[in-house]
Amino acid sequence: MKETILVEHLEKVFYSQNDMEIIALTDMNLRVPENEFLCILGPSGCGKSTLLRIIAGLEKASSGRVFYNGREHTKPCREIGMVFQSYSLMPWLNVLDNIALGLEFAGVSKPERMAIAREYLDMIGMSNFGKAFPYELSGGMQQRVAIARALANNPDVLLMDEPFGALDAYTRIIMQKELLRIWEQRKKTIIFVTHSVDEAVYLADRIILMSGNPGRIKKEIAITIPRVRERSNPRYGELTSELLALLEGA
Amino acid sequence: MQKTFNKLILSLILPALLLIVWQLSAWQAQNATVLPTIGRVLENFIHATDNFIGLGSIPRNIGVSLIRVLSGYTVGVLIAVPLGVLMGYSKTIQQIFETFVNIFRPIPPLAWQPLALAIFGMASIATLFNMPFGQQYVFWGNFKIAMVFLIGMGSFFPVVANVMFGVQSVRQTLIDSARVLGASEKDIFFKILIPAAAPSIINGLRVGLAIGWACLVGAEMLPGSVAGVGYLITHAYELARTDLVITGMICIGGVGALLDSIFRIIANKYFSWESKTR
């Protein structure tokens, strides 16, 4: 199958203040086929966010390469969108202007980008909040807007860095459902970073389990439970326990 | 309504107390040169349009001072804002300028007085624009380059520091978000950094104007000045007219507070997002 994102022998080394070498990632190899929902699961500090930032082009790899549709990718671009954990909306712009921001950068005319922004505003079920400012929204609503903003750019790939990590458990479950609905509507390749086993099992086609010090891939598991997945499904429980056990050993 | 009223009462307690202490002390002192009564000073305001000690009316003096401060301030700000933005934006530019700025910053603007006088002499806006001699020339002759320089120096540093800080403290997530949305470097600069730093920039402009205005008396002590609230104070002091000194002080305080509230209104109106964003 054709891969959208290909990561080859990626390595990332940081230097601490006293010049200590910290290996964040070592020999990472990743192949993400078109329209796959991939979850990267791992404990805090295992380098999963760093990996995502390198794929996005926000950080440089120390060695190794990232390919997007066969071409080497080093700088952020419109085709690869990203959703951050929290507080990524421009606080001085209202919801519509935030959603339209990427289109504004692309030089889309104001009426046209507003029309597109409205469409995505409706999609996230916030039609009445177009003129609201980020500080007037709950954390869940802010994340919905952030997702809409990333999607309005119509990216090919969506990178999500613990996008629901700051939300309460209930909102989180709703957002997961919502995200799957959107993903099924407009097929995208999604790389979703999380440290929640449940979230990964609920969402992913495939889970990459990472371990830290230095960050590397520990295991790869395909999730074949049909969607919409029921948490009461015995297979769901088995997978969750298996992953939790692996994570403990990570 | 009740709330606004309470707020007003609370904010008036200390000024009222000050007035009482002032009046009691004035009665005690029985010496208008040491401390005139409130009535004496009030009289100056009632007759504000009179010609005081040959320096003209109070509004005229305030007007002259305002033009001086605003011209110095404008020059200071026009250099400070772009420099501050660039220093906040680029580490290299910051390293080039920071030490330089830090050496000059602690020098009080008044310490520049002798140098300013030596460098700029009696040059004024009138001589700068080569105005023909006449009424215009006399008016614009009031605005000596040396004064504009001193006030500009006073406003410059707080503006640079605030603007730089504002640009530097823009959250990295906002910049990263813009980049992954396809922002060019120009977009980042004009559509992210500047609006995100706008509240700090406005705050810098506010502090800068307050300091520029506070430099007034010092700037107007320069020779060649024959008008302005600062000069009024200096001259009234020489004539032992303490009531006029206090009148001038009240004018400076009042106008300063007024200018400040203009900035506060702008900040509240356009940048309320800042205080409400966590």
Side-chain angles (χ1 to χ4, degrees):
Chain A
M1 214 198 305
K2 187 180 147 230
E3 76 264 338
T4 302
I5 294 284
L6 180 67
V7 174
E8 267 185 1
H9 305 297
L10 202 70
E11 192 166 61
K12 178 71 181 178
V13 182
F14 289 114
Y15 291 93
S16 70
Q17 278 193 346
N18 43 15
D19 263 351
M20 279 253 297
E21 231 181 48
I22 297 161
I23 301 171
L25 293 169
T26 183
D27 199 29
M28 284 291 299
N29 293 284
L30 204 61
R31 188 180 275 274
V32 189
E34 203 175 351
N35 298 338
E36 186 183 44
F37 199 128
L38 175 74
C39 275
I40 298 178
L41 180 66
S44 307
C46 73
K48 53 194 193 301
S49 288
T50 306
L51 172 65
L52 211 61
R53 290 177 61 82
I54 293 174
I55 296 175
L58 289 172
E59 261 174 65
K60 296 241 172 300
S62 304
S63 67
R65 295 193 289 181
V66 175
F67 294 90
Y68 163 64
N69 279 342
R71 277 196 313 274
E72 190 166 359
H73 177 72
T74 51
K75 282 202 171 81
C77 69
R78 307 189 66 222
E79 287 73 27
I80 302 181
M82 185 159 175
V83 178
F84 298 82
Q85 185 171 2
S86 56
Y87 307 130
S88 66
L89 301 177
M90 307 306 159
W92 61 93
L93 295 179
N94 68 29
V95 167
L96 270 175
D97 287 333
N98 260 294
I99 298 178
L101 190 61
L103 300 163
E104 188 184 340
F105 293 147
V108 177
S109 74
K110 184 150 182 153
E112 197 179 335
R113 66 179 190 248
M114 282 302 141
I116 298 172
R118 286 226 157 268
E119 183 190 319
Y120 282 90
L121 190 67
D122 294 344
M123 186 197 74
I124 54 169
M126 286 178 58
S127 310
N128 296 325
F129 290 89
K131 296 276 176 240
F133 283 85
Y135 61 80
E136 297 171 305
L137 305 176
S138 68
M141 282 172 148
Q142 289 186 25
Q143 282 310 81
R144 258 185 247 192
V145 176
I147 293 171
R149 179 177 69 177
L151 289 172
N153 244 3
N154 197 21
D156 221 15
V157 181
L158 197 54
L159 307 173
M160 306 185 85
D161 189 4
E162 302 195 35
F164 309 144
L167 306 182
D168 62 87
Y170 176 72
T171 313
R172 193 165 182 161
I173 287 173
I174 301 215
M175 296 288 288
Q176 291 165 354
K177 271 202 180 124
E178 194 98 321
L179 178 63
L180 283 181
R181 185 177 61 83
I182 293 167
W183 172 67
E184 267 154 25
Q185 248 177 43
R186 354 193 144 217
K187 283 292 175 189
K188 309 247 174 246
T189 308
I190 295 186
I191 305 181
F192 189 109
V193 159
T194 180
H195 57 240
S196 157
V197 170
D198 173 75
E199 190 164 69
V201 174
Y202 186 80
L203 293 173
D205 287 325
R206 186 163 59 113
I207 296 176
I208 299 274
L209 185 71
M210 283 182 66
S211 61
N213 292 320
R216 63 192 183 277
I217 293 173
K218 190 172 181 193
K219 198 168 167 72
E220 201 185 304
I221 298 172
I223 312 283
T224 50
I225 308 171
R227 293 191 178 91
V228 176
R229 293 172 184 161
E230 294 296 332
R231 289 182 162 88
S232 54
N233 183 331
R235 185 77 194 110
Y236 193 103
E238 278 169 38
L239 270 170
T240 308
S241 327
E242 188 188 331
L243 279 163
L244 272 172
L246 280 167
L247 206 53
E248 250 170 65
Chain B
M1 191 55 218
Q2 183 70 33
K3 229 174 160 179
T4 350
F5 185 71
N6 282 347
K7 228 170 101 180
L8 191 72
I9 293 286
L10 284 179
S11 65
L12 287 179
I13 291 176
L14 285 180
L17 215 61
L18 176 72
L19 289 180
I20 292 168
V21 173
W22 170 7
Q23 189 66 348
L24 289 178
S25 319
W27 278 332
Q28 187 73 29
Q30 289 285 344
N31 184 341
T33 309
V34 175
L35 191 65
T37 60
I38 295 178
R40 281 286 297 266
V41 175
L42 210 60
E43 227 166 276
N44 289 338
F45 280 104
I46 293 167
H47 305 288
T49 48
D50 285 5
N51 184 354
F52 288 96
I53 51 174
L55 295 178
S57 68
I58 289 177
R60 185 187 124 87
N61 281 297
I62 291 180
V64 169
S65 293
L66 260 179
I67 297 178
R68 277 184 187 137
V69 170
L70 290 182
S71 44
Y73 174 68
T74 308
V75 175
V77 161
L78 283 180
I79 305 170
V81 171
L83 182 63
V85 169
L86 289 173
M87 283 170 73
Y89 175 69
S90 149
K91 270 259 166 306
T92 316
I93 298 179
Q94 185 192 351
Q95 277 155 3
I96 293 174
F97 284 99
E98 198 167 37
T99 318
F100 186 72
V101 168
N102 282 344
I103 289 171
F104 284 94
R105 187 161 54 175
I107 301 173
L110 288 192
W112 286 96
Q113 232 193 31
L115 269 183
L117 201 59
I119 297 168
F120 300 109
M122 288 290 105
S124 66
I125 292 183
T127 57
L128 189 71
F129 290 103
N130 247 329
M131 289 180 180
F133 198 82
Q135 218 170 5
Q136 286 282 321
Y137 182 93
V138 172
F139 179 73
W140 289 105
N142 270 319
F143 308 106
K144 302 274 182 277
I145 304 296
M147 293 174 188
V148 174
F149 173 80
L150 284 192
I151 293 165
M153 273 297 203
S155 336
F156 177 81
F157 293 102
V159 178
V160 165
N162 269 285
V163 171
M164 182 179 86
F165 173 77
V167 174
Q168 276 173 345
S169 36
V170 175
R171 237 180 304 130
Q172 187 61 38
T173 317
L174 299 188
I175 298 169
D176 287 345
S177 302
R179 282 197 206 284
V180 292
L181 287 170
S184 65
E185 210 49 39
K186 195 178 136 210
D187 288 331
I188 298 277
F189 195 84
F190 288 106
K191 292 181 179 164
I192 307 297
L193 288 180
I194 302 272
S200 299
I201 296 177
I202 287 292
N203 193 44
L205 293 180
R206 183 179 162 186
V207 179
L209 185 55
I211 301 215
W213 184 245
C215 292
L216 186 68
V217 179
E220 289 185 343
M221 274 157 67
L222 287 171
S225 171
V226 285
V229 187
Y231 183 67
L232 182 75
I233 291 176
T234 324
H235 196 52
Y237 164 70
E238 283 161 0
L239 299 177
R241 285 286 303 275
T242 312
D243 59 312
L244 262 184
V245 171
I246 295 177
T247 305
M249 287 167 70
I250 294 174
C251 288
I252 291 181
V255 173
L258 200 72
L259 293 173
D260 198 60
S261 64
I262 293 173
F263 271 106
R264 218 176 36 231
I265 290 167
I266 294 176
N268 284 343
K269 183 150 189 228
Y270 295 102
F271 304 110
S272 59
W273 58 263
E274 200 222 6
S275 54
K276 290 171 187 154
T277 304
R278 284 155 292 173

